Amino acid sequence: MSLSFGRDLYLTPGPSVMPDSVLAAMMRAAPSIYDGPIVDLTESIVTDLKTIAGTRHQLAMYIANGHGAWEAALENVFAPGEKALVVHTGNFAQSWANVAERMGIEVSYLHFGTDRAADAAVLAETLRADATHGIKGVFCTQTDTASSASNDIPALRAALDAAGHPALLMVDCVASFACERFEMDAWGVDVMLTASQKGLMCPPGIAYVFYNEKAEARARPKPDRAPYWDWTDRANPGLYYQYFFGTTPTHLLYAQREALNLLLAEGMENVFRRHEIFAQAVWAAVEVWGTAGPLRLNVTNRAHRSRAVTAVRAKGVDCFALQKWLRHKTGLTLGKPIGFDTPEFGNGAHAFRIGHMGHMNPPMLLGGLSSLQAGLIACGIAHGAGGVDAAVQVIAANA
Amino acid sequence: MSLSFGRDLYLTPGPSVMPDSVLAAMMRAAPSIYDGPIVDLTESIVTDLKTIAGTRHQLAMYIANGHGAWEAALENVFAPGEKALVVHTGNFAQSWANVAERMGIEVSYLHFGTDRAADAAVLAETLRADATHGIKGVFCTQTDTASSASNDIPALRAALDAAGHPALLMVDCVASFACERFEMDAWGVDVMLTASQKGLMCPPGIAYVFYNEKAEARARPKPDRAPYWDWTDRANPGLYYQYFFGTTPTHLLYAQREALNLLLAEGMENVFRRHEIFAQAVWAAVEVWGTAGPLRLNVTNRAHRSRAVTAVRAKGVDCFALQKWLRHKTGLTLGKPIGFDTPEFGNGAHAFRIGHMGHMNPPMLLGGLSSLQAGLIACGIAHGAGGVDAAVQVIAANA
Amino acid sequence: MSLSFGRDLYLTPGPSVMPDSVLAAMMRAAPSIYDGPIVDLTESIVTDLKTIAGTRHQLAMYIANGHGAWEAALENVFAPGEKALVVHTGNFAQSWANVAERMGIEVSYLHFGTDRAADAAVLAETLRADATHGIKGVFCTQTDTASSASNDIPALRAALDAAGHPALLMVDCVASFACERFEMDAWGVDVMLTASQKGLMCPPGIAYVFYNEKAEARARPKPDRAPYWDWTDRANPGLYYQYFFGTTPTHLLYAQREALNLLLAEGMENVFRRHEIFAQAVWAAVEVWGTAGPLRLNVTNRAHRSRAVTAVRAKGVDCFALQKWLRHKTGLTLGKPIGFDTPEFGNGAHAFRIGHMGHMNPPMLLGGLSSLQAGLIACGIAHGAGGVDAAVQVIAANA
Amino acid sequence: MSLSFGRDLYLTPGPSVMPDSVLAAMMRAAPSIYDGPIVDLTESIVTDLKTIAGTRHQLAMYIANGHGAWEAALENVFAPGEKALVVHTGNFAQSWANVAERMGIEVSYLHFGTDRAADAAVLAETLRADATHGIKGVFCTQTDTASSASNDIPALRAALDAAGHPALLMVDCVASFACERFEMDAWGVDVMLTASQKGLMCPPGIAYVFYNEKAEARARPKPDRAPYWDWTDRANPGLYYQYFFGTTPTHLLYAQREALNLLLAEGMENVFRRHEIFAQAVWAAVEVWGTAGPLRLNVTNRAHRSRAVTAVRAKGVDCFALQKWLRHKTGLTLGKPIGFDTPEFGNGAHAFRIGHMGHMNPPMLLGGLSSLQAGLIACGIAHGAGGVDAAVQVIAANA
């Protein structure tokens, strides 16, 4: 029988769990979108997002999702035919690159597989080989939402510097923003993009692109940019409507304001530390389960792992059946595997993802892991005993 | 550090977790309270509550809490000086009796302790001794929210019948209604009372008193009853406002209607079975923890236990510290112990309660038990290993 | 055809329009009801309500409606057989008296009709005639919700004083509280009662009874009072649960807290002044309509009129048809007439009420009056031209 | 003093008033965005929007605002250097053309002023003159939100046909959709675009572009289109995520589903008729006000007027002061004038707009007009007496 009558739990890597007060903040009329309180509210969001991003530079906001953010970043920087180098550590780097290719950008790849972070030395070497500095931008994810590999952004920055290469460093923080530390200015990132529905705990619908003066200076000429994506007026609006090039997303902004209030009240250092502990708890459980059966953390090197999402491989296991059982029997939804659609992974059947980002506490996280353990038992999937116990230990030791 | 940033989890025995759609149902204007849709909505609630209660008889609704329901039931039945017999299996039986005593009812007690169900044979014997049939009503809880002992109502009914005693059988189902099976008519219960905030998954504020023709026939004369508590017009209103003797609790009714929709969509048999499984999971965890340390289920006899709440004894343990750790470090709130304020229980410091009623699924329940296990570790409370594993096994075996 | 697709408007005298943020405040989980934030929140509500009531004395809160508040006030003060004098200015005074009579209180009446305030001189005279001081309490409404007559409370107080009579002065402010000025201590009122769903802008479900030391001193002995209604422990709780004698109405308190925030942010002087202006606007419209047709303000003496609700007489008019037209064609619901069920008023068919209390601004009020004027036209009810214009003038002159 | 304490009323031309149930529909967790209920919900929205649009052809949905919809439509149809003809009847036609020009499209204009509909004969003549059929597309608004002029789309279609010109007919229905009749297929419209926040009664954030086979056949080659705007995969998704090219706007879809439920329950014929009546009521009020003072309907020809928004000219009047008074004194917000920033209109100071679209009934509409009349008085703006009376008459005669 189904026991799923209760509040559904989504351990998916976004849209993440939204706090009640974030949803309640949308229970109001739309305001005037030309003046009045919405103006101050919007400005305050810009200010707080820059603080979390560690930047004093520019922020352009879009009514869009992460794909829109990708296109926005590329459209401002690259003309068709210009060259980009993709630091490829998973499916989302590839998807971003796909967008670039469709936009006529000449994309080359540094492939590092889908189970580890990029090797900065390889990047440095590649850039040194680009003696004419034909590569205009290097782009990568901080966390690849699909592989759950996380790159060492300062190391990649150092690689550019070591190679003396002027390319822009562009980072996708969709899966990691407000979960893992990111210091745009201190780390020398030129363009960074993210969205509202993961660490920022809001409904999907707002995309954010941060950029610095160097990016603006090297950007494609403004007249050549698509009007919707042009970042300059959005970042420096003369009139309020220019923030979002037309009608402002009133209710999503109400939600975002409340979510930022919650994050800042917790304190970003606490937020980062909390995600660190939750990631360790997830890893501990999966590693114990893996001692007697096919479950494996996709990213073996601890230093390369995301603190917001964890991809799990399960050779030979029918993970679709597991996920179906969990959803229908317990109310738990795990993340669908992405980028595991090769025969090795049973075309996605032999993997799943656990999201542990955003509005998350021990009852939610451990409730998910415990239910997953119940699913392993019920679906007859071999696993070492004590996985949840190991996660519990991590929580007990760190709370 | 605190990891409690996330949705707080309340495993308290009421007010229980409310479904999002129950809360959202209150997001509307108050209607006309004289006619129109509120009339049909109210009638439909009466109909559905009678179905869940297993009765074709009367339902009086009150703007009140459980204490109000107690007083309502007593006020209709008893004149001052009349006699009631309390089947005492915990603190809430006592509290109800306290109300009765304050109302001038002559109360006698059958004490069965606070860790077991009543013994029907003792009741039968007591009633046989009341040869003059001076006892007008026998009252008890189905589940005592404090002790988590559950009475066998049909057995108590049989005791009355065996004794040939005409006393009314009055049952408090506040903690058990819509969690555990209750068949008012089939079981021969004359008066039953409950409230909105536990198995009925609503905010507190509505109390329900069901009664049958026998109760009405033996009730105190209508003119002697306090107007607010008089049940006849509420159960048989000529005008709409009589349902609640004045202004109707509009928003609580909206909430109750939605909660009933959810329960009936799940099906009451499923609801009862789900509570049975969750109770077994909780018992399994506590029993394992108790194999090496002081934790004990308060009610040792499995047949005497509630399926909605579980009281746990913890000799020598500072449970206040444990609860504080859980709340502040993880966001989990357990139920405060009630009725354990004796030296044996450290004046309440050596016990706690786990609510597992209402809107509850495996991620919530196991999330709570896992967090509790983390708390046992963090607070240095001795416990057998594998408690959560045992609960997980129950879920896996029954879902 | 119906044009009612839009936000329904209720110009009923309660439950009044609730602000969005009041409803949104209920979008959260129930808290622990033994300790934590709910304790401070409850205390803050007590403090703020006392401020609005102009008293430093006691406040007992009940899960109940206005009828419950009546019974609570009476139960604490009067034993059966004791004498009360009712200052009767409308249906709600009568309803309160009905409750008193059912409780065995010996009620005598001073009838002032249903279209005017009480005459304090008559009260003084009556009290002087009670040489033995047999009358224990005098009770009246500040505003009678049915007749919309408002009494001059200081004048009634002065009548008691002039007569040198020790009776308690007990006032029902259900329809007027937080709409019209009330100064409990300065005016010498001993008991005052109100409820959450009118000027306090909350869903129905909480009743409030304020009382002073004199009332406590003369009150019925505590052991004789019904436990639910006994006010002493509620006003002076040793444990949190005593505030509401059992489970606290969590979500209604969340709503009440937010509503108080809004009222205090506006400032009570502004609140009172706003109601004064809105009342004048309503009177102006009705008086103009009445220049050529049957519509009349029920209370002719301006000084005797409520600022929160206005009863309108309409000799010979089918007001049921008018109200039906308004509701179905425009989405406006007016207040059903109460206390006009005599042949003179077509058994309620020849009257209606306009509520103008609480969360109300010119678009709402004038939208209601304009729609009403449309209804007069559509239903063929004779009326003088320019009613809405007159109301508009009042707003223009005072805003 | 301010009387604005109450529910703010926004008679702005979008974001329009949102029904409570539309907002409440967002009070839930985000679902899985790969499968499950969101898939059916999304498909049902597509189906219902096509029904309202009168088309059996294609619908592409975007996370975007109206500016995004403009860019989407243009990006799919036009390559840089291709020619568009703009039928210019107000500021929004100009804004759309601005976007086209920034995209490198060669735009020519047919200017019809900002106070009337386009003349189809002029369009026919112009197209006949384009003997080489160099014009790829003709675009116009159904209603210009700024001027409140509405075009006769079938007449414009007839002009294309009469000229035997193959250009695509592209129509912006942002301000009119779900307010005024639109029959895409019957009227021979090739591309139509709209957005969620006006007649569709939702928060801003979703843009809709409908297109037919002819548009697809003549569209720019797919590889040349910007990936985010490419409409083919969105209209014909192989995988769910392609509906919105990435993360789906979960909560806005919940809102849109509920809003469509409400509209379809009312019936679109009723919706259109209701907007017709409300427009007539607004016109009647303004025309009466204009009999003695400077207020004038911007569009003098009744047949050319929008049924969703009305622009009002007020020569010499300080409309900023009027709007400020209304907002601060009454809680009414009118629409800021757009496209009146010429000396003739005091650079926008001598005009305002009244939105009367979407979730609107007589109390709201008349409440706004009455408050506006109060503002005219308070601000000393000359006006004929009886404006609101005239609007009331329209409602009375048609409801």
Side-chain angles (χ1 to χ4, degrees), chain D residues 172-197:
Chain D
D172 168 339
C173 291
V174 172
S176 57
F177 193 72
C179 300
E180 304 186 58
R181 186 182 309 281
F182 188 85
E183 296 286 346
M184 179 166 166
D185 294 353
W187 293 358
V189 173
D190 301 304
V191 178
M192 185 270 276
L193 60 89
T194 189
S196 57
Q197 78 274 12

Side-chain angles (χ1 to χ4, degrees), chain B residues 33-347:
Chain B
I33 55 170
Y34 296 102
D35 47 20
I38 195 71
V39 177
D40 289 344
L41 184 141
T42 305
E43 288 173 358
S44 76
I45 288 173
V46 170
T47 298
D48 290 343
L49 287 171
K50 286 183 182 176
T51 298
I52 296 175
T55 187
R56 293 183 304 148
H57 297 295
Q58 304 294 308
L59 167 57
M61 303 186 289
Y62 300 86
I63 305 180
N65 55 17
H67 281 58
W70 286 338
E71 187 157 329
L74 297 171
E75 175 74 15
N76 279 281
V77 169
F78 293 95
E82 293 188 325
K83 290 181 184 168
L85 176 65
V86 178
V87 175
H88 189 305
T89 58
N91 194 75
F92 281 82
Q94 184 62 59
S95 295
W96 191 4
N98 291 346
V99 171
E101 294 191 343
R102 287 181 63 180
M103 294 171 74
I105 299 166
E106 195 171 307
V107 180
S108 58
Y109 293 85
L110 282 181
H111 280 284
F112 296 98
T114 57
D115 58 1
R116 68 199 65 199
D119 182 337
V122 174
L123 174 61
E125 183 179 355
T126 305
L127 291 172
R128 278 193 202 99
D130 179 35
T132 60
H133 292 174
I135 295 169
K136 187 171 191 183
V138 172
F139 60 82
C140 66
T141 56
Q142 181 176 30
T143 283
D144 189 280
T145 325
S147 70
S148 73
S150 254
N151 286 312
D152 181 343
I153 304 300
L156 297 179
R157 169 78 264 168
L160 271 82
D161 293 344
H165 197 290
L168 297 171
L169 178 59
M170 305 171 69
V171 184
D172 168 338
C173 291
V174 172
S176 57
F177 192 71
C179 302
E180 303 187 59
R181 186 181 309 282
F182 188 85
E183 296 286 346
M184 180 165 164
D185 295 352
W187 293 359
V189 173
D190 301 303
V191 178
M192 186 269 278
L193 60 89
T194 188
S196 58
Q197 78 274 13
K198 302 201 176 188
L200 289 173
M201 310 188 304
C202 279
I206 315 184
Y208 302 107
V209 179
F210 302 80
Y211 64 96
N212 64 16
E213 279 68 20
K214 181 178 162 199
E216 179 61 35
R218 302 210 52 204
R220 189 180 187 184
K222 182 174 166 59
D224 296 348
R225 303 175 197 167
Y228 194 82
W229 301 124
D230 183 16
W231 65 27
T232 46
D233 296 343
R234 290 176 181 261
N236 303 282
L239 295 169
Y240 178 72
Y241 89 93
Q242 295 177 305
Y243 269 120
F244 286 96
F245 192 51
T247 298
T248 198
T250 53
H251 285 63
L252 298 174
L253 291 174
Y254 289 143
Q256 187 64 87
R257 179 64 267 164
E258 172 62 14
L260 288 168
N261 291 349
L262 295 174
L263 287 170
L264 296 175
E266 189 188 4
M268 293 314 299
E269 289 303 317
N270 285 3
V271 172
F272 300 147
R273 175 80 183 134
R274 183 167 50 81
H275 282 85
E276 172 69 33
I277 295 169
F278 289 166
Q280 291 181 15
V282 170
W283 305 341
V286 177
E287 285 172 344
V288 168
W289 289 330
T291 57
L295 297 190
R296 296 290 182 277
L297 291 169
N298 181 52
V299 180
T300 51
N301 185 329
R302 195 180 181 89
H304 294 192
R305 292 179 196 155
S306 165
R307 270 64 182 164
V309 56
T310 296
V312 179
R313 290 184 275 156
K315 194 172 180 182
V317 170
D318 182 353
C319 293
F320 293 156
L322 172 64
Q323 294 210 53
K324 188 175 171 188
W325 189 92
L326 289 171
R327 191 186 294 189
H328 291 284
K329 298 294 191 175
T330 78
L332 170 65
T333 298
L334 294 179
K336 192 172 166 289
I338 294 183
F340 292 88
D341 44 358
T342 62
E344 178 189 358
F345 297 107
N347 295 310

